[in-house]
Amino acid sequence: MIYQMQFVKGLLHPASSRYQLKEAEAVTRFGPSLFMLYAVSLLVYGVGAYFGLGAESISKELTKMTPGEYEAAKMLFLYGKLAAGIVFPSLFFFGASLVYWMLLDIAYIKIVLVQMIVFILYLLEKLLLVPISIFLNVNQDANPFSFGVISQHFTSNEYLIHFFGSITLFQLTMIALTCYYLKFLSEKSRLIVWLSVALVFIITWTAGAFLAYLDVSVIL
């Protein structure tokens, strides 16, 4: 069976998609689909950078900068965001897949395909946050889809607030969808699959919170 990459089907009809993926002996449209995801990722990150989303660290230093320094900082911020638009999906597609491949004994290419489908949810969240952040003037910690706002009622620790701000309803949906695919493709126990997926996302949240805590402008 030949598996044809279809994002909409992968999201809306995962039962059929995962069955075809498990039985597949070859894949079509992999390259164009991968290129499209990178292009959309660059676009989403670029739009966010254009509107200054995540540029709080630059804004704090605005009064201390000369006009030339401010313009240079904005350009560095833009380039950093565009770099993140390439680096993060690469880690998500290939780095996370490597972890799953080592732990779950699934064909690597099939894991990458699952990651590509799940990544659509990440892009959708990033895209929705653009108008929300602009009109409501909120940052990642106040993301209405995250647990960042709730965490601020229980702790004043900035790192923990950043950490819980990284955990969103979209991210939890990504975990559920990833597990739905991988537990069908793997012969490992359901528990091992869930723990493997949870490990990858916890590492992602921890790294993102650490970068935000250090006031790094380019965050995942």
Side-chain angles (χ1 to χ4, degrees), residues 21 27 30 34 38 89-116 182 185:
L21 184 57
V27 178
F30 173 78
L34 185 64
Y38 273 114
S90 297
L91 292 174
F92 190 83
F93 297 148
F94 306 111
S97 296
L98 183 62
V99 175
Y100 297 145
W101 174 73
M102 291 188 296
L103 297 176
L104 303 178
D105 193 26
I106 305 173
Y108 184 75
I109 184 62
K110 293 185 178 182
I111 303 175
V112 173
L113 293 173
V114 171
Q115 291 294 95
M116 289 169 63
L182 297 186
L185 298 174

Side-chain angles (χ1 to χ4, degrees), residues 14 16 39 61 78 92 96 106 109 119 125 136 156 169 179 181 202 210:
S16 174
E61 303 296 325
L78 174 61
F92 190 83
I106 305 173
I109 184 62
F119 192 69
E125 179 185 25
L136 299 183
S156 59
L169 297 178
C179 289
Y181 271 94
I202 289 174
F210 182 68

